[in-house]
């Protein structure tokens, strides 16, 4: 049972909307497990109130906050410092209050890679990787892929100009060569047929669009390919089902949500997160919602 006192440390999440967030559940369970006198609170912050909310982190002495849609880009203008990886990604999802100095980080890419390593036993080092999509999640994951030494990276998107911009950022910031291609093209099919790891980052297959066809043709994949879908609602998407039937290893999306949260937990507390407990807690909550 959570007992708030005058010494309770407060963290939370800024979003609009935010009532659906499962982050309070898994973070508060983690604090209780470790016996930390901390609490995680959802804050419904409208876009025109974002600056005041960020100033409130300083004024109220919050240890930090997560930042979710639609604030991940706009919040950067209100911070004192932004981590190099978050600068490259162009978005912040975690703020740490360092004695009144607010520092922004992006834990999405690191969370995805930790999820992949812990849950599938795979690493990206030396792997041929295809990323489907070119939004904010794709950019975060691509930056982490570049850090970890993927052998080759291909980015496929319906609007090829967005894919080209991401590829240009990888080359400029990280010196990582990558290819851009149009989603659904013959170039994409060839890249998929050669891939060691495929990462789907769009909203296709997310509830309530969960009955849509898989976003790629799994018939071109090799059985040894790892297929990852960052969509976590539903836990098993049409893509994951199709990849399983193809004989591929799969990685479902709830792991990225948990492990990006675990990285934020560690930035705030300086303590190793009980990430397996956080994962179990999240899965139970998702099962209740389904």
């Amino acid at each position: 049972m959570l007992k708030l006192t005058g010494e309770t440390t407060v963290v939370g999440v800024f979003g609009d909307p935010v009532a659906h967030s499962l982050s309070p559940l898994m973070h508060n369970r983690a604090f209780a497990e470790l016996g930390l006198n901390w609490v995680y609170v959802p804050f419904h912050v409208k876009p025109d109130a974002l600056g005041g909310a960020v100033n409130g982190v300083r004024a109220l002495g919050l240890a930090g906050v997560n930042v979710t849609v639609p604030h991940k880009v706009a919040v950067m203008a209100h911070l004192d410092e932004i981590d190099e990886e978050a600068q490259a990604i162009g978005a912040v999802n975690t703020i740490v209050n360092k004695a009144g100095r607010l520092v922004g980080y992006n834990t999405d890419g690191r969370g995805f890679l930790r999820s992949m390593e812990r849950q599938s036993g795979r690493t990206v080092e030396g792997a041929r990787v295809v990323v489907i999509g070119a939004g904010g999640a794709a950019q975060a994951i691509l930056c982490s892929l570049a850090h970890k030494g993927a052998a080759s990276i291909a980015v496929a998107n319906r609007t090829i100009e967005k894919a080209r911009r991401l590829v240009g950022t990888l080359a400029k910031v990280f010196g990582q060569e990558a290819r851009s291609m149009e989603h659904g093209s013959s170039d994409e099919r060839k890249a998929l047929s050669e891939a060691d790891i495929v990462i789907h980052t769009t909203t296709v297959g997310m509830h309530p669009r969960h009955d849509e066809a898989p976003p790629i043709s799994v018939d071109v994949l090799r059985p040894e390919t790892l297929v990852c879908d960052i969509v976590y609602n539903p836990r098993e998407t049409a893509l994951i089902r199709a990849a399983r039937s193809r004989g591929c290893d799969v990685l479902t999306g709830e792991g990225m949500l948990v492990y990006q949260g675990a990285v934020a937990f560690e930035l705030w507390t300086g303590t190793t997160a009980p990430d397996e407990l956080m994962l179990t807690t999240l899965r139970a909550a998702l099962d209740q919602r389904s």
Side-chain angles (χ1 to χ4, degrees):
M1 180 70 68
L2 178 66
K3 293 183 179 180
L4 299 179
T5 72
E7 296 180 340
T8 301
T9 300
V10 180
V11 290
V13 56
F14 289 173
D16 179 28
V18 77
H20 67 286
S21 176
L22 294 173
S23 293
L25 184 64
M26 67 180 188
H27 278 285
N28 286 323
R29 181 73 186 277
F31 294 146
E33 175 71 12
L34 298 183
L36 297 177
N37 186 9
W38 287 55
V39 64
Y40 187 107
V41 181
F43 295 101
H44 188 180
V45 178
K46 295 288 187 180
D48 60 0
L50 181 60
V54 173
N55 286 334
V57 174
R58 295 188 188 90
L60 298 173
L62 275 63
V65 290
N66 285 138
V67 182
T68 188
V69 292
H71 304 312
K72 289 186 176 184
V73 176
V75 78
M76 297 173 75
H78 302 285
L79 303 179
D80 300 305
E81 182 182 340
I82 298 172
D83 171 74
E84 181 182 10
E85 186 173 355
Q87 285 276 19
I89 294 167
V92 161
N93 77 340
T94 300
I95 298 171
V96 180
N97 185 353
K98 298 185 176 182
R101 183 172 180 80
L102 302 186
V103 183
Y105 298 85
N106 193 305
T107 66
D108 283 334
R110 281 179 282 171
F112 173 79
L113 291 188
R114 188 185 291 193
S115 169
M116 185 172 68
E117 291 165 4
R118 298 279 179 87
Q119 296 182 275
S120 74
R122 301 279 196 103
T123 65
V124 300
E125 186 175 357
R128 296 166 293 185
V129 184
V130 177
V131 175
I132 308 298
Q139 187 154 347
I141 290 169
L142 285 164
C143 289
S144 291
L145 292 176
H147 272 304
K148 292 293 185 177
S152 68
I153 298 174
V155 183
N157 194 56
R158 286 182 302 175
T159 306
I160 194 168
E161 288 77 13
K162 289 186 70 176
R164 286 172 177 155
R165 284 198 293 270
L166 280 189
V167 166
T169 297
L170 289 180
K172 181 178 180 180
V173 177
F174 300 104
Q176 171 74 54
E177 294 298 322
R179 294 174 290 157
S180 58
M181 53 195 64
E182 188 174 357
H183 180 46
S185 66
S186 58
D187 286 341
E188 181 193 58
R189 287 181 64 86
K190 185 175 188 302
L192 289 170
S193 70
E194 298 170 347
D196 300 306
I197 301 170
V198 176
I199 307 168
H200 172 241
T201 70
T202 81
T203 58
V204 174
M206 180 184 292
H207 183 80
R209 301 169 59 189
H210 54 280
D211 291 330
E212 292 182 352
I216 62 171
S217 299
V218 299
D219 61 295
V220 300
L221 300 177
R222 297 173 298 128
E224 56 267 32
T225 300
L226 173 65
V227 178
C228 313
D229 195 340
I230 71 167
V231 171
Y232 63 86
N233 184 18
R235 279 179 57 190
E236 185 166 282
T237 61
L239 173 59
I240 292 297
R241 289 195 301 272
R244 282 191 200 277
S245 68
R246 178 69 176 167
C248 297
D249 290 336
V250 298
L251 180 67
T252 54
E254 73 272 13
M256 178 177 172
L257 178 61
V258 167
Y259 289 104
Q260 64 80 26
V263 176
F265 182 101
E266 291 165 2
L267 287 170
W268 292 326
T269 67
T271 302
T272 301
D275 45 32
E276 290 305 310
L277 174 68
M278 295 169 75
L279 182 59
T280 300
T281 301
L282 180 67
R283 283 175 170 167
L286 288 172
D287 287 343
Q288 285 183 347
R289 288 187 176 185
S290 62

